[in-house]
């Protein structure tokens, strides 16, 4: 490490500023202003190169964070991207979208603001692309084995890239019209512009990965057919069944799942024509759910020209600081201000939705009540009901499982107790069929998806070749560090 | 015919069993020599020798059987007159017959006598007759009597009447053949000398051998010796003296010396000695180091060299770096260094051939030797002064043995021959210098070669072949390349040892370094570099028994590590030089053909070398270059050791030098093992190319590629020197091949074949597994698909710093998190998750104990309610010795508070304790540590200890000292340590008052008298042989022995030590328990264990293996907030645990309650285990190894070869009564000199009134005044009493440690002389030593006191009217002392006080001196530590002004106290004499003093923040 006293010299955390709100809500571009390379270098010098880097543990990918922090500090960009790519196929995605459990685990964070790991990560890959360090790694020798990867989200793409590089012939199937899954249609451009995906896909194509869009496995081609056509199949179809809110009035018009709304918006932003697009323009919008998806909806609605946006959460407002039951290095549940929250709207807590109010079949508002906790359950407090007006309601309540009917019916695949596709400790669900990402794990973070994709690739390679040199960063059962008792 | 070894007979020791092995036995002792210059013998000489021996009794030892001594003996001239009177047969003239004792087995004596007579005839000798010397076995101890041989005396003459040396040589052949062929033991068989010895105490020798009391038994000289063996298994043959010598000390390099002797054997030829094949091997198997030394010395002498000449060959002085040595003498030494490597180790040897008698001291001078010469021609030399009571007026000279110097008497001529004269004669024997010049060549004189640079891609590919990791590059290579120094780390190691590591490890990792503890001291290779040497010469070695110019035809390597270009010079040596021919042997094999191919290739290599030697090769280069997809490199260590031992077995090893060209070696430890197993030079080409490549790639910045290579070589070489010095070895020539390593996890078969003679206790892997490890690395270098790892050119590593893909660490995010959380929240459930995570090691194989299981089928479980409560168990816990300095005051105090709360013990560590905390029941530390720096060790500190712990070694860096850098010596640290803020502090590698086991006994004695109530601990580090050291410790009367595992944490340690020295505590503890039980010593000593203990299971395993108390360090630190940053040495600990930085200390969040929770949880978990195992208390469980078994369920590719049964071998040895401490040591406190005065000196002690004690004393009275000092301190505290309140006026010879730790208010005056350690730890008292009035010698020219005076003294005064020995005022921090001459290494590591030296000084004055002032009369610059002068750390100047006033006042006081004639003459001419005084002043100390002075003048607080900032500015430059 270049300077063991770096953290004592640079004591403040500093990240790239976001563009001014009035400016940025006028476009769909990423909210951050240009990064100052010197600041990034300085921030990198705050890394203490710990004896036990908890960040490296906190990251499901096992990113070699102290190593590349040091390399960034020394200005050795080419080595830095190598060290980053060693554990992470797509740092340009994680560097923008990951909630950074590494920073929660940063040892410096015990007493000081943690190192800006995520920003350093994204600066490494952006520099690398700019300077042309990102080139295809084409296998020298093909195995002759073929693999179908179903789903082109981060898990599928990671598995595909790993398998391609060890010489297997890989085809990625995507039922949508473009590659990327949730990355493309779930994430608004103001968080990640889509050219990042295109650039990575280009590299993968150059390496030999084949992409088949608009093919819905289970419908267009049956699962057993795909299993017959390929030597191995990786199921990376995600966990896309949204959680619904079963209260009176749910069938009124103007109540939509967040993903439906976001996908349409993303397509529109990409230049597609979307028939009957759900739009927030000129509307009073209520978003149910205070998580990242809710914030994505908020930012989107803001840019579409909503009159008002209210985010309702059923639970308590999270604390500003770590609570005792969420000690370092756990990922704490904290009150966070996403870029969208800075821009517009109102956040309300302890609101239980009792009923959707509608007129003429169109939603006009929500009847809400104060939440109270009874035996640990959240229930509305009788007598506190009131109505919040709304003409667009977006449900951002998370996901409950995957769309696995055909998988089950056509291949006899088993599901686990949480309706995820079950698999063994080498990601195998049945002979030659492997499951990676949210499809097996349930709704999770992009880093877990990539980590699973990488690990599943190792399992597939081993299955096909008898041994593998691919890394196996996580087991299907691995969980973040937490207090379980 | 197989060779018999009589040395293994007539002893009571058990055979090797379990982890115990007789070969680990060590000894040390007292010795004396008496001779007369008057020209005729007499019984008075014998008498005086025997009475001197009796006065050395305290230096020997007795075992569990109080009557059985470790051995004693005497060597005299043949008592011709006596023999003529007592034998029934005719004896020819003296000189025409030989005689000697014979030790027979009783049952075969008749047969053996006949066989002996037959050999005698073959050797042209005839047996004149046999005599049974009268003995009295009744005086012996039981064990000794049991093992007693049948003792007879044989008389032999030449059949042809030959006499003199011719006869002596035939007797030698007869004795050797008799021992080899019949197996009987001859203490001696000579026409000149005779030895009487046996397993007796010093007091029993004379009563046992009745001959010795006979007035007719006369001699002109006598050597006597008393032995202290670490074991209680002494043997009759191993008692001293041997045929030529008696020895006090230890030859550390004996294994190498013996191997090299074997290597030279085939070349031995001597016309004088005849056919040598009949008497080979020269070195008898089973002989001790001293016996082996004697055998070789005897060979050298009988083949024609003089006795002094041979001694100088075997124990050369430190000639290599001495500036003022005679050129001819240097030539002599250099020439002989090409013939024989030094026999290195601390040694005082007395020797005689029957006419010449002398003594010599090794180059380090680590053993005492004092002599007196009387007016009537008696010379008495002994380990101590005062063994013979001679009135001062008869004494004409008093002297001491000096490092590397010889003291010799020619009894025939009646003369003392001075060292210079001996050396002048020997160096003039032959034109050594001319011979050297004509034949020798230095590597640098060979033609230069063009440098070859390899591409990054090539370097990277080969890095993969040899298993390099990113961590290797970053943590090892880069720091060495950048700074030329070995990297430092902190917090120990917690990864699996190689033997049970799941990943392929380098062969080097299976070897752990041995290191010196207790029985010999480690050296200080930095401050005492002047006695070390890394120079070696290689090439063919010729007949040892001749000296010709051709013997000098050698290539001299200044440094053992060679750059690529230097190796190229050797490879091309035959171009234009006639020095020899180099042949490269390739160490590669077909990796796809498996272990068979590996084995076959090793055989082929051996054949190729044999052929090369036939063809005249003189240099062999073993190379692993040019591996490729098919050919993988054989581990270089395997190649070198296999070839080395092959050649030794063939007897051709000495025909060529072997250099290793290897890619795998990259760390200091790797270099040390290669040299230790036979390499003369190493070219670690890939490490050097890696360094160059890192510079070229810009990874390492600020240096040139060439410099990086040189830095690497320097760092690696210096590191090797440090590893040698840990073992107490000074020269690389004798370290080479000495095999100072133990193997863990290698099969006996593999070791026997390729690493012959190395200890491997647990068995383990063979070539099959080694091959698999090579293959795994090879596959990583030549992967089937390179794109798979395109972004990771090398593996990440993770040995030092945890990485997910690296090796597992016991402390990792999960275990740290759970430990911290559970103790904070007081959640036992989460704590159990933590212990489960740590214990659940079976799959991951982190520790040896992870392979054990508890046997639940032998005892019935009991309800947990019946098990002793938590409050009882926690009393057995202590926290580790971490100094305030290493950890923050907050962290230190929190531990103390927690331990005091639960009734456990915290430990001060090496750094003292403030009086404020000392007296505070809540915040004090119960255990006070005494380490080599002696920081803060005062009477007050010791008086307030519950336990006093002597730190012999530290788990993370055994055999090494420590250093507190200037910026960490904050004002509060300086105050505790009695030093200066901002001035760095050094803890020396050795305790300078422990150079041997009898010295340790002395320190225990001293400390026990400094506080009678405290238990005295000795802390040892686990390694092979620690059990026998522990037995020695028990015999030295320690109350507690602590066995520390190798993996303990530390604030700073060289990485090689952290990883490669010492063994896990499981091994050391089990060996200790077994050895103590075998010795019958277990019941008198408490056994404590520490080293990475983390869970209740760990404690229960330790209890079953035999430990009663348990220490924890890292785990409670983690509870306090430590997250194993491993930056303790950088003072940047971000959680305020291991730092002194106030900003960081503010972040400390640890709480005593959390620590209490930890220990209570631990105790609760222990209770659960005890209940399951059916024990009601820990006491019941201790030693029950039968409840431990190997967990057969664990299947592992590597660990399956391990045989752990030796760990459980104490099963049959113990009984309920002796498996743990059930009695205690008899400290004999009542018989101490001081004891009666405690009552009678009450006026002073109780009321503070003046009181004087007058007494006669002798050398057997040790630590005089210490017990009284303790009494005084108890009553009067830190400040003591007014000076001279309690006076001891003593006459005679003071035993060792007079005035140790004596506080203010006491004054000791010795009229006579003193032994070693005068004023050790002096705490304010005054000590005056002067000769009696009317002495027959000039005080200022004679020796008045011994070595290591004022060691670690903190305040007080010492006045010495005479010369003293080596290391005067070492680590003095406050005493004012005056002396009239000193030996080598004076004022070493001094940090404060005043030293006035009025006479001559030895070499290396002021090494490591960082404080205080010395005024030295006519000091020559050449005598001052060279590095300190060159770096400006010490300045020399004239004395004037205030200094002159101070100096004069002190000299005046010296005169007043001693009446010194010298002082008087200086005072009388003070103004003229002043210009002769040189002021020695450490630079940083001077700067800080000036800043503080100015501060006081300006009204600032001298220890305040502003001043501290100023201090930091100057001390950091």
């Amino acid at each position: 490490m270049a300077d063991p006293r770096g953290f004592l010299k640079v004591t403040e955390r500093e990240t790239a500023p976001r563009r001014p709100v009035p400016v940025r809500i006028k476009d769909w571009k990423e909210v951050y202003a240009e990064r100052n390379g010197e600041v990034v270098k300085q921030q990198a010098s705050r890394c203490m190169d710990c004896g036990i880097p908890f960040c490296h543990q906190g990251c499901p990918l096992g990113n070699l964070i102290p190593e590349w922090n040091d390399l960034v500090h020394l200005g050795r960009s080419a080595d830095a991207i190598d060290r980053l790519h060693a554990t992470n196929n797509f740092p340009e995605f994680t560097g923008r979208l990951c909630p950074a459990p590494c920073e929660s685990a940063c040892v410096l964070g015990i007493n000081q603001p943690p190192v800006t790991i995520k920003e350093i990560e994204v600066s490494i890959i952006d520099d690398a692309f700019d300077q042309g360090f990102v080139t295809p790694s084409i296998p020298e020798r093909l195995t002759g084995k073929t693999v179908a990867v179903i789903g082109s989200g981060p898990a599928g793409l990671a598995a595909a890239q790993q398998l391609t590089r060890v010489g297997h012939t890989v085809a990625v199937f995507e039922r949508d019209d473009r590659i990327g899954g949730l990355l493309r249609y779930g994430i608004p451009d103001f968080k990640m512009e889509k050219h990042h995906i295109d650039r990575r896909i280009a590299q993968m194509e150059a390496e030999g990965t084949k992409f088949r869009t608009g093919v819905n496995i289970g419908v267009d081609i049956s699962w057993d057919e795909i299993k017959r056509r390929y030597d191995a199949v990786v199921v990376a179809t995600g966990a896309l069944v949204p959680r619904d809110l079963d209260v009176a009035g749910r069938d009124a018009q103007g109540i939509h799942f967040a993903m439906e709304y976001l996908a349409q918006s993303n397509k529109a932003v990409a230049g597609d024509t979307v028939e009957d697009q759900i739009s927030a323009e000129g509307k009073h919008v209520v978003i149910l759910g205070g998580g990242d998806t809710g914030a994505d909806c908020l930012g989107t609605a803001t840019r579409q020209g909503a009159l008002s946006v209210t985010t309702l959460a059923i639970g308590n407002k999270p604390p500003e600081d770590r609570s005792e039951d969420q000690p370092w290095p756990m990922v704490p549940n904290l009150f966070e201000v996403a870029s969208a929250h800075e821009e517009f709207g109102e956040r309300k807590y302890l609101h239980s939705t009792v009923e959707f109010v509608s007129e003429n079949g169109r939603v006009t508002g929500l009847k809400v009540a104060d939440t109270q906790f009874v035996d640990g359950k959240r229930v509305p407090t009788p007598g506190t009901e009131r109505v919040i007006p709304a003409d667009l309601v977006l449900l951002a309540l998370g996901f409950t499982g995957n769309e696995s009917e055909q998988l089950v019916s056509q291949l006899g695949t088993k599901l686990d107790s949480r309706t995820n596709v079950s698999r063994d400790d080498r990601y195998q669900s049945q002979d030659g069929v492997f499951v990676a990402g949210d499809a097996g794990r349930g709704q999770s973070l992009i880093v877990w998806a990539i980590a699973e994709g990488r690990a599943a690739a190792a399992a597939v390679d081993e299955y096909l070749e008898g041994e593998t040199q691919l890394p196996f960063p996580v087991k299907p059962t691995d969980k973040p560090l937490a207090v379980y008792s | 015919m197989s060779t018999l070894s009589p040395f293994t007979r007539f002893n009571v020791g058990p055979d090797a069993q379990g982890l115990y092995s007789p070969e680990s036995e060590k000894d040390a002792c007292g010795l004396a020599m008496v001779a007369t210059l008057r020209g005729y013998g007499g019984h008075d000489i014998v008498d005086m020798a025997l009475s001197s021996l009796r006065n050395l009794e305290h230096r020997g030892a007795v075992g569990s059987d109080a009557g059985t001594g470790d051995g004693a003996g005497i060597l005299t001239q043949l008592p011709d007159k006596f023999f003529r009177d007592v034998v029934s047969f005719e004896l020819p003239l003296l000189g025409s017959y030989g005689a000697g004792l014979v030790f027979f087995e009783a049952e075969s004596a008749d047969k053996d006598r006949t066989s002996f007579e037959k050999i005698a005839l073959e050797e042209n000798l005839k047996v004149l007759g046999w005599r049974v010397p009268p003995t009295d076995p009744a005086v012996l101890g039981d064990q000794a009597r049991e093992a007693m041989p049948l003792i007879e005396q044989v008389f032999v003459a030449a059949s042809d009447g030959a006499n003199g040396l011719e006869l002596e040589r035939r007797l030698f052949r007869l004795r050797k053949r008799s021992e080899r062929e019949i197996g009987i033991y001859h203490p001696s068989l000579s026409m000149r000398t005779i030895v009487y010895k046996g397993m007796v105490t010093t007091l029993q020798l004379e009563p046992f051998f009745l001959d010795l009391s006979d007035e007719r038994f006369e001699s002109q000289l006598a050597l006597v010796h008393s032995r202290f063996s670490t074991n209680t298994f002494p043997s009759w043959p191993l008692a001293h003296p041997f045929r030529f010598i008696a020895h006090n000390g230890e030859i550390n390099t004996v294994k190498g010396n013996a191997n090299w002797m074997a290597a030279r054997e085939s070349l031995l030829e001597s016309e004088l000695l005849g056919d040598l094949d009949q008497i080979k091997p020269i070195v008898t198997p089973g002989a001790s180091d001293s016996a082996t030394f004697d055998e070789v010395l005897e060979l050298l002498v009988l083949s024609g060299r003089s006795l002094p000449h041979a001694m100088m060959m075997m124990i050369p002085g430190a000639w290599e770096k001495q500036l003022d040595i005679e050129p001819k003498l240097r030539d002599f030494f250099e020439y002989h260094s090409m013939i024989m490597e030094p026999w290195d180790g601390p040694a005082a040897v007395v020797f005689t051939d029957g006419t010449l008698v002398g003594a010599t001291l090794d180059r380090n001078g680590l053993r005492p030797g004092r002599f007196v010469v009387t007016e009537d021609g008696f010379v008495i030399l002994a380990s101590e002064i005062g063994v013979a009571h001679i009135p001062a007026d008869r004494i004409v000279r008093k002297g001491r043995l000096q490092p590397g110097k010889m003291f010799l008497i020619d009894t025939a001529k009646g003369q003392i021959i001075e060292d210079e004269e001996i050396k002048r004669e020997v160096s003039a024997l032959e034109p050594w210098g001319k011979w050297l010049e004509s034949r020798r060549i230095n590597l640098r004189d060979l033609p230069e070669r063009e440098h070859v640079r390899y591409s990054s891609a090539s370097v990277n590919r080969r890095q993969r072949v040899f298993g390099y990791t990113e961590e290797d590059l970053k943590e090892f290579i880069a720091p060495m390349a950048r700074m030329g120094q070995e990297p430092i780390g902190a917090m120990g190691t917690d990864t699996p040892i190689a033997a049970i590591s799941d990943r392929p490890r380098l062969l080097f990792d299976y070897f752990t370094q041995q290191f010196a503890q207790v029985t010999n001291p480690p050296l200080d290779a930095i401050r005492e570099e002047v006695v070390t040497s890394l120079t070696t010469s290689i090439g063919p070695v010729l007949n040892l028994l001749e000296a010709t110019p051709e013997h000098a035809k050698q290539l001299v390597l200044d440094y053992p590590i060679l750059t690529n270009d230097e190796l190229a010079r050797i490879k091309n040596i035959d171009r234009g030089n006639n020095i020899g021919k180099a042949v490269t042997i390739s160490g590669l094999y077909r990796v796809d053909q498996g272990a068979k191919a590996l084995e076959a290739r090793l055989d082929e290599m051996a054949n190729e070398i044999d052929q090369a030697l036939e063809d005249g090769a003189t240099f062999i280069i073993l190379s692993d270059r040019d591996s490729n997809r098919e050919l993988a490199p054989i581990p270089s260590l395997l190649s070198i050791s296999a070839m080395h031992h092959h050649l030794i077995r063939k007897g051709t090893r000495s025909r060529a030098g072997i250099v290793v060209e290897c890619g795998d070696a990259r760390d200091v430890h790797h270099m040390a093992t290669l040299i230790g197993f036979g390499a003369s030079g190493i070219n670690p080409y890939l490490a050097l190319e890696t360094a160059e490549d890192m510079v070229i790639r810009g990874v390492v910045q600020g240096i040139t590629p060439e410099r990086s290579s040189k830095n690497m070589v320097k760092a690696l070489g210096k590191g090797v020197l440090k590893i040698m010095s840990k073992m107490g070895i000074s020269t690389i020539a004798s370290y080479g091949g000495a095999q100072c390593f133990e193997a863990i996890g290698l099969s006996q078969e593999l070791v026997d074949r390729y690493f012959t003679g190395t200890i491997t206790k647990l068995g383990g892997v063979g070539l099959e597994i080694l091959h698999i490890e090579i293959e795994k690395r090879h596959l990583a270098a030549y992967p089937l698909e390179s794109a798979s790892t395109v972004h990771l050119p090398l593996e990440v590593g993770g040995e030092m710093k945890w990485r997910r893909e690296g090796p597992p660490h016991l402390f990792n995010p999960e275990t740290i998190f759970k430990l911290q959380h559970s103790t904070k929240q007081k959640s036992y459930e989460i704590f159990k998750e933590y212990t489960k995570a740590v214990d659940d090691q079976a799959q991951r194989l982190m520790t040896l104990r992870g392979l054990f299981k508890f046997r639940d089928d032998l005892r019935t479980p009991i309800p947990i309610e019946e098990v002793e409560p938590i409050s009882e168990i926690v009393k057995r816990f202590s926290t580790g010795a971490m100094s305030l300095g290493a950890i923050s005051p907050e962290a230190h105090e929190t531990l103390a508070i927690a331990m005091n709360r639960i009734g456990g013990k915290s430990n001060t560590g090496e750094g003292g304790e403030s009086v404020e905390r000392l007296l505070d029941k809540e915040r004090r530390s119960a255990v006070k540590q005494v380490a080599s720096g002696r920081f803060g060790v005062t009477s007050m500190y010791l008086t307030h200890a519950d336990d006093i712990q002597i730190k012999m070694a530290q788990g993370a860096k055994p055999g090494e000292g420590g250093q507190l850098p200037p910026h960490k010596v904050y004002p509060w640290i300086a105050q505790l340590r009695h030093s200066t803020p901002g001035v760095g502090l050094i803890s020396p590698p050795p305790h300078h008052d422990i150079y041997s086991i009898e010295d340790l006994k002395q320190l225990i004695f001293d400390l026990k008298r400094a506080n009678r109530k405290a238990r005295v601990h000795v802390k040892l580090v686990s390694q092979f042989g620690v059990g026998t050291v522990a037995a020695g410790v028990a015999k030295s009367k320690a109350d507690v022995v602590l066995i520390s595992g190798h993996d303990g944490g530390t604030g700073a340690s060289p990485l090689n030590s952290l990883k490669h020295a010492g063994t896990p505590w499981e091994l050391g503890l089990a060996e200790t328990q077994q050895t103590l039980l075998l010795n019958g010593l277990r019941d008198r000593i408490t056994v404590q264990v520490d080293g990475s203990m983390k869970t209740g299971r760990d404690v229960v395993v330790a209890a079953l293996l035999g430990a009663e108390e348990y220490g924890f360090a890292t785990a409670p630190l983690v509870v306090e907030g430590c997250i194993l940053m491993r930056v303790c040495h950088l003072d940047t600990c971000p959680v305020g645990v291991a730092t002194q930085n106030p900003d960081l200390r503010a972040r400390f969040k640890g709480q005593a309650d959390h620590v209490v929770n930890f220990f209570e949880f631990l105790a609760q978990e222990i209770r659960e285990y005890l209940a399951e195992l059916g024990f009601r208390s820990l006491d019941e469980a201790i030693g029950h190894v039968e409840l431990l078994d190997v967990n057969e369920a664990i299947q592992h590719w590597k660990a399956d070869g391990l045989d752990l049964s030796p760990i459980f071998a104490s099963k049959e040895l113990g009984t309920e009564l002796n498996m743990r401490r059930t009695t205690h040591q008899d400290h004999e406190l009542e018989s101490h000199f001081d004891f009666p005065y405690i009552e009678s000196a009450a006026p002073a002690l109780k009321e503070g009134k003046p009181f004087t004690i007058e007494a006669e004393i002798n050398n057997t009275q040790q630590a005089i005044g210490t017990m009284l000092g303790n009494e005084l301190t108890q009553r009067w505290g830190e400040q003591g009493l007014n000076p001279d309140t309690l006076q001891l006026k003593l006459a005679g010879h003071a035993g060792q440690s007079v005035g140790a730790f004596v506080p203010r208010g006491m004054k000791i005056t010795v009229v006579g002389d003193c032994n070693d350690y005068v004023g050790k730890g002096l705490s304010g008292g005054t000590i005056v030593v002067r000769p009696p009035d009317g002495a027959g010698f000039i005080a200022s020219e004679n020796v008045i006191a011994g070595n290591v005076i004022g060691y670690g003294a903190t305040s007080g005064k010492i006045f010495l009217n005479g010369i003293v020995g080596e290391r005067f005022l070492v680590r003095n921090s406050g005493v004012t002392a005056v002396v009239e001459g000193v030996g080598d290494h004076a004022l070493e590591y001094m940090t404060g006080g005043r030293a006035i030296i009025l006479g001559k000084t030895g070499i290396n004055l002021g090494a490591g001196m960082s404080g205080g002032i010395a005024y030295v009369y006519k000091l020559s610059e050449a005598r001052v530590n060279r590095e300190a002068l060159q770096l400006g750390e010490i300045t020399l100047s004239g004395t004037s002004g205030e200094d002159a006033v101070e100096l004069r006042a002190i000299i005046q006081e010296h005169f007043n106290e001693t009446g010194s004639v010298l002082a008087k003459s200086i005072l009388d001419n003070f103004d003229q004499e002043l210009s002769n005084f040189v002021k020695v002043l450490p630079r940083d100390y001077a700067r800080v003093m000036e800043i503080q002075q100015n501060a006081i003048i300006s009204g600032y607080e001298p220890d305040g923040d502003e001043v501290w900032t100023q201090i930091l500015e100057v001390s950091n430059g």
Side-chain angles (χ1 to χ4, degrees), chain A residues 7 48-53 56 59-60 67 76 82 85 110-112 140 165-166 327 329 469 473 483 485, chain B residues 474 699 783 785-788 790-791 801-805 811 813 816-817 821 830 833 1124-1125 1132 1134 1147 1149:
Chain A
F7 75 101
M48 302 189 294
D49 191 16
C50 300
I52 300 179
H56 168 67
C59 175
E67 273 91 329
R76 291 172 51 207
D82 252 354
H85 268 149
I110 299 174
N111 292 301
Q112 260 175 258
E140 293 162 0
R165 285 180 174 181
V166 289
Q469 288 174 299
V483 182
S485 294
Chain B
K474 189 173 162 189
V699 184
E785 180 47 68
S786 61
S788 64
V790 62
H791 294 300
K801 296 189 171 180
W802 178 85
R803 289 292 182 269
R804 272 169 46 163
E805 49 271 68
F811 269 131
I816 288 194
F817 168 60
H821 193 61
I830 300 174
E833 285 180 22
L1124 274 89
M1125 282 297 288
T1132 57
R1147 300 177 175 193
K1149 293 195 186 114

Side-chain angles (χ1 to χ4, degrees), chain B residues 974-991:
Chain B
Q975 201 183 359
L976 286 184
R977 299 192 175 199
H978 297 260
S979 71
T980 317
V983 177
L985 292 173
I986 295 163
S987 298
H991 286 254

Side-chain angles (χ1 to χ4, degrees), chain B residues 190-227:
Chain B
S190 163
M191 44 72 67
R192 308 192 282 198
T193 57
I194 189 158
V195 173
Y196 285 76
K197 67 176 186 181
M199 198 194 289
V200 293
T201 66
T202 56
L203 302 180
Q204 291 163 354
L205 180 65
E206 188 174 358
F208 178 72
F209 288 113
L210 300 172
D211 285 0
L212 298 177
S213 306
D214 197 300
E215 285 294 327
R216 295 166 294 180
F217 196 107
E218 293 180 344
S219 174
Q220 292 185 69
L221 57 91
L223 309 183
V224 285
H225 187 275
S226 131
R227 183 166 187 247

